[in-house]
Amino acid sequence: MANKLIYFFGKSKTDGGGDMKALLGGKGANLAQMTKIGLPVPSGFTITTEVCVNYYKNGRKAPAELAVDMEKAVKWLEKEAGKKFGDVKNPLLVSVRSGARDSMPGMMDTILNLGLNDATCEGLAAATANPRFAWDSYRRFLQMYGDVVMGVQKKNENDHEPFEEVMDALKKEVGVKDDTEFSAANLQELVKRFKKLIKDWTGKAFPTDPVKQLEGAVFAVFSSWMNDRAILYRQKYRIPDEWGTAVNVQAMVFGNMGDDCATGVAFTRDPANGDNVFYGEYLVNAQGEDVVAGVRTPLAISEMAKDKTIGAAHKELNDVRKTLEKNFGDVQDFEFTIEKKKLYMLQTRNGKRTALAYVKIAHDMVKEKLMTPEHAIKSGDPEALNQLLQPIFDTTAYAAATKEGRLMAVGLPAGPGAASGAVVFTAGKAEELAAKGQSVVLASLETSHEDLRLMIASDGILTARGGVSSHAALVARQMGKVCVAGAGDVEIDYHKGTLKCKGVTLKEGDFISINGTTGEVFHGKIATADSELKQVLVNKTMKPKDSKVFQYYDFLMKLADKYRTLGMRTNADQPDQVINAIAFGAEGIGLCRTEHMFFEGDRIIAVRQMILAKAEDDRKKALATLLPYQQKDFEGIFRALNGLPGCIRLLDPPLHEFLPQHDNHKGQEEVAKQLKTTVAEVARLVSELHEFNPMLGFRGCRLGILRPEITEMQARAIFQAAAVVIKEGIKVKPEVMVPLVGFKKELDLQVEIVHRVAAEVMKATGKKFAYTVGTMIEVPRGALTADEIAESAEFFSFGTNDLTQTCLGMSRDDSGSFLPAYQNLEIIKANPFASIDRTGVGQLMKIGVDKGRKTKPDLKIGICGEHGGDPTSVEFCHIIGLDYVSCSPFRVPIARLAAAQAALRHPAKVVPPKVIKDSKAKTGSTKSKTSRK
Ligand code: ADP
Ligand code: MG
Ligand code: MG
């Protein structure tokens, strides 16, 4: 490898910095940054992510120079720390820590106290005059090293951790409850048993040479990049496998030397609700993951101020809190250790937070000038905004439950919102009930990385142990799950499958309700109600000025609107949907599916008459019955739009969708009655309409071409509605959209009808109105011949659902049987029906845009497939220069934020005006293309 493999951070020099996350990982980059700004960080070095990438490229082999460079690095660290590796008098101990570009908390492995063996342990005991501490550190090292490097791990899900089992046995023998109660002699015995466990389990002795230990640990960290946990995590959060992890080797500091020591985790603000309070917890005389693992329930950080021995560190931490926010421009989630009253910083990163905390923090910190508006936009997870629409408890039901004395326990509020569902203890039960659409609440003593799947399946999470930075709380916040942590009164018996509290016993499957905003746990069901945001925007039962949540959300959305260049539209076909979407920020309709209106009330009878009519006259008669219905629908929509553009698609689905199929005899009987004909006749007609491949059959514009009277009726309904609404003084902007066009001639035939009808209606009503006619681009031929089609189209809208189906030759509805396997095999990285397949479908879109605008530089182009509400697809639409995206009403806020992020990530290229000397030089259509952004 040509590049530098190792970067130092320490007193004598620091190579890296906070902006080098890709190379040094988030942890390494920020350790360097904290060192640079003068925070107390134990010295160390970072092996770059490139080394890890290289390691995998070469079939899990590290570059040859690594050993040499590591030796040098260790020498440097020895000098920095004033201690020596393997020195029996004053041994240097290090931690070996993973750290990818994006933090993946707890997903990969960390090893502490590396450098210990029988000899150095004795040395450490003597040097610190604290044998208990030395043996405690040693047993922890054996435990981590044995697990991570040597593979001493439980074999089945229901087994106990082998090291824990050995430790529990000793606890019983000695008669203690907590590991802190072990004496030095007990711990020495534990070390003996751990070594035996490793030997028995692996057949190999534990390596005593610190250099060998270090080598093993570094490779184990590389390998942990590909463990199941890490892979699952990356899939969920779309972190590419190619990034790799860095490895940090850092001098140890000790929180487990006695009562003047501690270790803790803190947030500069509350990550659950965003409040500007110092938030965190710590454990006296503890090390490493103890706080997060929920082994003992930690103390709140405010308690530290009252501690006579380490109280001074609290003030120091408060200063650190301010320094961090100021320097990193965001809420920080940090780890610290106090060794003999001295504070050390071990990690900092931007804190993961709930959506509620995100909008509040963005609002507050931008106003406090601690965060840039750009960062406020860029750092959000658009998808997570859904959490703001999550239900809360219904006020009446909540009050009733309290009055009935159903409150069982109060834990820590760790993930806001309300969840009411069946209590579950096992993954099997959770997935079984969740699959049935039942909401489930996971109850657990504590959770660990192994429970990830179980947590994904649950709506709410309740733990009996652990604090606000426990694993459960951390993951819940990140996934946006309702969570109550550390409800100590709750007793869970996994064997009996029961949860007991205050004399109430719940079995798995019984109802439980938790309030993640207050920490309350109730038995039984409690009805839920709409979130504040919904109450303000949708139900209008709450005034904006009465909802703080709305105000924070609104601040952020308005900020997003400043940056985004994409327009926002919605897919809606009812006035109420349109009104909701506008409240969420939509600026028009991108797709109004007219066929949805065909199913309402009695209209379906006329639709069926129209379909089954043999003569054109009968068909026209049936259509005439439908016309007033459609017109009324469009009037409603135009009124709701109140002057915003509305893109209405002509009839699209294959006609059989309107009829009961052959296996529905009862339905056919009904139709026969409705249409005054025989069941046999209906059955005959249904089989006549049967298609082998309806998705590619008689549908889309093909319907309007063979049965022009349908297009005529729909156009008439649209324009007559427009005339009526204009008369009421409301502006209308209809856009008529022809589906499934692959040939210019198809569009021409439909456009002609629409124009003729428009003229007729204008003449008959005496009302003038502007309208446009365009097409969906949803078959490959349409995209490939977009230059021709654009001659007849005033706009394009990408129907990416069908475009994906036809580009991939893959039916969305039939893909369930193979698509998951395809994703596992990484043939396809993401579900192409959820996120645009950029290289394939995206290429067709790009061709469509380029060719379309070559013919018409100002051609308006949008997207109306499901992808319009998917953040990465929105980004793609921005990149290829679409004018707007359209999505379902409730996804509009998500798309708004995603569009703003896209605009910040891919700013418009400002083309400097060229001084053209040769007056005959090209002056193509490039001007209008670049000027649209
Ligand atoms: P994770 O990525 O899972 O957070 P870390 O690498 O941060 O893992 O390490 C796990 C724990 O070990 C943390 O609590 C951290 O504070 C502690 N730790 C890591 N390095 C040191 C060190 N040099 N001295 C003391 N504690 C450490
Ligand atoms: Mg780790
Ligand atoms: Mg950490």
Side-chain angles (χ1 to χ4, degrees):
M1 279 180 71
N3 297 337
K4 194 166 140 101
L5 310 188
I6 292 177
Y7 284 67
F8 297 102
F9 54 92
K11 290 175 280 250
S12 63
K13 67 167 165 179
T14 297
D15 301 330
D19 54 351
M20 295 174 73
K21 294 200 174 63
L23 187 64
L24 303 180
K27 201 181 284 167
N30 283 352
L31 282 169
Q33 188 64 26
M34 285 198 293
T35 311
K36 272 193 188 163
I37 61 174
L39 290 174
V41 178
S43 306
F45 56 87
T46 305
I47 305 171
T48 68
T49 54
E50 279 176 6
V51 179
C52 178
V53 172
N54 208 270
Y55 170 82
Y56 281 106
K57 255 197 213 138
N58 293 335
R60 299 196 178 222
K61 268 213 334 254
E65 318 90 277
L66 184 64
V68 183
D69 287 5
M70 244 161 65
E71 204 186 314
K72 279 189 216 150
V74 167
K75 287 257 143 30
W76 175 83
L77 188 55
E78 287 178 336
K79 225 178 183 178
E80 278 271 319
K83 297 176 184 177
K84 273 206 150 68
F85 231 19
D87 185 348
V88 292
K89 286 230 180 72
N90 190 15
L92 168 68
L93 303 189
V94 297
S95 63
V96 178
R97 322 170 62 186
S98 61
R101 187 187 304 193
D102 268 6
S103 80
M104 298 168 55
M107 289 303 130
M108 290 179 297
D109 299 315
T110 291
I111 295 160
L112 304 181
N113 310 331
L114 187 140
L116 281 172
N117 53 36
D118 292 0
T120 52
C121 181
E122 294 286 3
L124 186 66
T128 57
N130 190 346
R132 195 198 170 280
F133 150 72
W135 290 105
D136 183 49
S137 304
Y138 194 10
R139 71 92 188 165
R140 285 169 188 269
F141 175 44
L142 285 167
Q143 208 168 339
M144 285 182 260
Y145 200 89
D147 172 358
V148 175
V149 183
M150 304 187 76
V152 182
Q153 289 157 358
K154 61 180 181 181
K155 290 171 178 147
N156 297 304
E157 207 184 328
N158 297 325
D159 291 355
H160 287 285
E161 295 285 350
F163 287 103
E164 290 293 336
E165 210 161 46
V166 173
M167 182 144 82
D168 283 344
L170 188 66
K171 276 187 194 164
K172 269 220 186 91
E173 280 172 41
V174 190
V176 299
K177 235 181 100 201
D178 259 344
D179 60 271
T180 45
E181 297 167 68
F182 277 139
S183 69
N186 295 150
L187 290 163
Q188 192 168 359
E189 172 61 23
L190 193 57
V191 162
K192 217 167 97 195
R193 293 189 190 185
F194 277 179
K195 280 201 280 191
K196 181 167 177 329
L197 174 71
I198 293 175
K199 186 75 202 276
D200 290 351
W201 202 278
T202 65
K204 275 187 254 163
F206 175 74
T208 50
D209 176 4
V211 174
K212 281 266 143 43
Q213 292 174 349
L214 182 59
E215 213 169 83
V218 167
F219 289 125
V221 171
F222 284 156
S223 302
S224 70
W225 178 250
M226 284 295 171
N227 72 29
D228 293 344
R229 244 168 35 217
I231 292 172
L232 182 69
Y233 186 94
R234 286 201 295 275
Q235 275 170 359
K236 186 160 169 60
Y237 294 100
R238 296 193 186 180
I239 296 175
D241 287 345
E242 296 80 21
W243 281 3
T245 180
V247 184
N248 300 289
V249 179
Q250 187 179 25
M252 283 300 302
V253 288
F254 300 98
N256 56 336
M257 274 184 162
D259 288 343
D260 53 355
C261 302
T263 181
V265 188
F267 283 79
T268 57
R269 294 182 194 217
D270 187 329
N273 64 19
D275 281 350
N276 188 1
V277 292
F278 195 15
Y279 181 97
E281 45 197 13
Y282 69 103
L283 276 173
V284 169
N285 197 11
Q287 186 177 54
E289 311 260 74
D290 290 2
V291 174
V292 183
V295 183
R296 281 184 272 154
T297 298
L299 298 170
I301 203 106
S302 51
E303 296 293 311
M304 195 189 284
K306 300 174 212 155
D307 190 307
K308 285 195 195 77
T309 343
I310 56 170
H314 184 263
K315 198 191 155 297
E316 215 178 320
L317 275 168
N318 242 323
D319 293 340
V320 165
R321 176 185 170 216
K322 297 209 174 83
T323 310
L324 286 176
E325 282 200 349
K326 213 170 150 202
N327 275 279
F328 287 85
D330 198 351
V331 164
Q332 294 298 294
D333 160 4
F334 65 95
E335 295 175 359
F336 63 90
T337 281
I338 298 169
E339 178 184 308
K340 296 200 167 288
K341 302 186 189 177
K342 177 157 176 29
L343 174 69
Y344 290 97
M345 295 295 292
L346 290 173
Q347 184 174 337
T348 191
R349 60 188 171 212
N350 291 345
K352 298 239 155 86
R353 62 206 75 175
T354 64
L356 173 60
Y358 165 61
V359 292
K360 161 124 176 93
I361 288 168
H363 170 270
D364 291 355
M365 286 185 79
V366 169
K367 291 205 159 170
E368 291 157 20
K369 299 229 182 326
L370 283 168
M371 183 188 276
T372 63
E374 287 82 4
H375 180 82
I377 295 298
K378 274 193 190 160
S379 58
D381 171 9
E383 201 71 53
L385 290 177
N386 262 336
Q387 288 170 32
L388 297 177
L389 298 168
Q390 237 168 32
I392 52 181
F393 280 135
D394 171 73
T395 335
T396 331
Y398 185 39
T402 313
K403 212 167 145 206
E404 286 157 19
R406 278 159 53 194
L407 179 67
M408 290 203 290
V410 180
L412 302 162
S420 187
V423 64
V424 295
F425 308 118
T426 54
K429 191 79 183 177
E431 278 165 4
E432 176 201 319
L433 293 175
K436 284 188 202 151
Q438 161 88 273
S439 45
V440 297
V441 174
L442 163 67
S444 185
L445 281 179
E446 63 208 37
T447 63
S448 75
H449 315 309
E450 272 100 58
D451 298 319
L452 207 57
R453 238 173 249 280
L454 179 52
M455 297 171 87
I456 292 172
S458 309
D459 298 282
I461 297 161
L462 165 67
T463 64
R465 283 194 229 148
V468 285
S469 12
S470 62
H471 177 266
L474 203 94
V475 175
R477 269 198 300 276
Q478 196 176 344
M479 291 186 182
K481 304 259 176 190
V482 177
C483 178
V484 173
D489 293 342
V490 169
E491 284 171 45
I492 297 168
D493 188 327
Y494 289 110
H495 284 292
K496 290 202 192 118
T498 59
L499 180 155
K500 276 194 197 164
C501 190
K502 298 241 173 89
V504 182
T505 305
L506 299 181
K507 290 189 305 295
E508 196 163 36
D510 287 349
F511 270 90
I512 195 165
S513 302
I514 59 172
N515 187 342
T517 316
T518 59
E520 291 161 306
V521 182
F522 296 86
H523 58 88
K525 252 189 220 178
I526 300 180
T528 50
D530 283 336
S531 68
E532 274 188 24
L533 203 57
K534 244 180 170 171
Q535 292 187 39
V536 173
L537 290 171
V538 178
N539 312 345
K540 314 244 172 2
T541 46
M542 200 168 182
K543 295 224 169 63
K545 68 167 173 47
D546 295 330
S547 170
K548 285 266 178 252
V549 182
F550 169 78
Q551 289 160 25
Y552 303 142
Y553 156 88
D554 196 48
F555 174 84
L556 189 88
M557 283 293 120
K558 289 197 171 122
L559 199 58
D561 289 348
K562 264 199 223 159
Y563 293 103
R564 73 178 160 89
T565 52
L566 274 171
M568 281 299 132
R569 292 207 189 183
T570 190
N571 297 353
D573 30 60
Q574 281 169 15
D576 59 327
Q577 294 171 357
V578 176
I579 289 167
N580 290 345
I582 293 172
F584 283 121
E587 301 152 335
I589 294 182
L591 175 65
C592 173
R593 297 176 167 94
T594 49
E595 61 269 17
H596 283 189
M597 307 168 173
F598 281 18
F599 285 97
E600 254 171 67
D602 292 345
R603 312 171 186 194
I604 189 71
I605 300 176
V607 174
R608 287 168 178 164
Q609 275 166 342
M610 180 266 290
I611 294 171
L612 301 181
K614 276 168 234 149
E616 197 185 317
D617 268 1
D618 292 342
R619 211 151 45 222
K620 282 197 168 151
K621 232 185 266 163
L623 282 165
T625 337
L626 274 177
L627 175 68
Y629 288 120
Q630 283 243 296
Q631 184 181 326
K632 278 264 166 322
D633 289 334
F634 293 136
E635 286 171 20
I637 282 177
F638 289 142
R639 285 189 196 105
L641 278 170
N642 196 19
L644 295 173
C647 185
I648 298 163
R649 177 179 71 183
L650 299 175
L651 192 65
D652 179 56
L655 297 178
H656 78 266
E657 283 188 12
F658 299 101
L659 291 169
Q661 290 309 288
H662 58 274
D663 51 355
N664 182 357
H665 191 73
K666 244 185 117 193
Q668 294 197 346
E669 262 175 16
E670 204 189 302
V671 173
K673 225 189 276 157
Q674 282 171 356
L675 305 186
K676 302 190 180 65
T677 178
T678 64
V679 181
E681 176 65 3
V682 174
R684 195 187 62 75
L685 284 162
V686 167
S687 60
E688 215 178 87
L689 283 172
H690 171 80
E691 290 178 306
F692 288 103
N693 213 334
M695 181 191 106
L696 302 174
F698 185 42
R699 55 165 291 210
C701 64
R702 296 159 198 171
L703 296 169
I705 289 167
L706 269 70
R707 301 193 176 169
E709 57 279 7
I710 297 179
T711 302
E712 176 153 351
M713 182 279 284
Q714 290 203 294
R716 195 170 299 282
I718 293 169
F719 295 131
Q720 288 183 0
V724 168
V725 174
I726 289 171
K727 232 179 255 167
E728 296 164 9
I730 300 169
K731 284 207 181 99
V732 289
K733 279 192 195 157
E735 300 172 349
V736 182
M737 181 156 77
V738 183
L740 214 76
V741 166
F743 300 84
K744 173 176 178 288
K745 185 73 190 277
E746 287 176 317
L747 181 59
D748 287 340
L749 289 170
Q750 296 290 286
V751 168
E752 198 184 297
I753 299 173
V754 177
H755 283 328
R756 174 171 54 76
V757 173
E760 284 169 16
V761 174
M762 285 193 210
K763 192 158 173 224
T765 61
K767 290 280 162 208
K768 286 253 180 302
F769 43 80
Y771 69 94
T772 53
V773 193
T775 182
M776 287 183 79
I777 299 291
E778 52 184 337
V779 294
R781 197 181 192 283
L784 295 171
T785 60
D787 47 347
E788 294 175 13
I789 291 173
E791 285 169 18
S792 310
E794 289 171 276
F795 63 85
F796 282 175
S797 177
F798 285 105
T800 44
N801 298 343
D802 273 313
L803 193 60
T804 301
Q805 300 200 91
T806 50
C807 174
L808 273 62
M810 190 184 280
S811 144
R812 177 177 60 181
D813 304 326
D814 298 318
S815 62
S817 57
F818 55 87
L819 203 54
Y822 263 46
Q823 279 182 264
N824 281 337
L825 291 167
E826 296 202 353
I827 297 172
I828 297 178
K829 287 235 164 144
N831 179 349
F833 297 107
S835 258
I836 290 173
D837 155 40
R838 293 190 185 191
T839 32
V841 177
Q843 194 176 152
L844 281 174
M845 292 173 72
K846 191 149 176 5
I847 292 170
V849 171
D850 292 347
K851 288 200 158 188
R853 292 216 175 115
K854 210 168 142 202
T855 303
K856 274 200 185 132
D858 286 328
L859 189 68
K860 187 194 286 175
I861 308 180
I863 177 177
C864 61
E866 292 304 311
H867 302 90
D870 165 63
T872 70
S873 307
V874 170
E875 180 188 40
F876 182 72
C877 292
H878 173 89
I879 294 172
I880 62 169
L882 297 201
D883 294 289
Y884 69 82
V885 296
S886 185
C887 59
S888 63
F890 287 89
R891 293 199 72 84
V892 171
I894 296 170
R896 260 164 106 183
L897 181 56
Q901 292 183 341
L904 285 170
R905 275 192 223 124
H906 311 276
K909 285 185 203 87
V910 184
V911 187
K914 267 198 202 126
V915 186
I916 301 167
K917 284 185 189 144
D918 178 1
S919 63
K920 273 184 219 130
K922 325 170 228 159
T923 52
S925 54
T926 43
K927 191 187 141 269
S928 69
K929 239 201 242 171
T930 44
S931 67
R932 73 177 48 248
K933 290 275 244 31

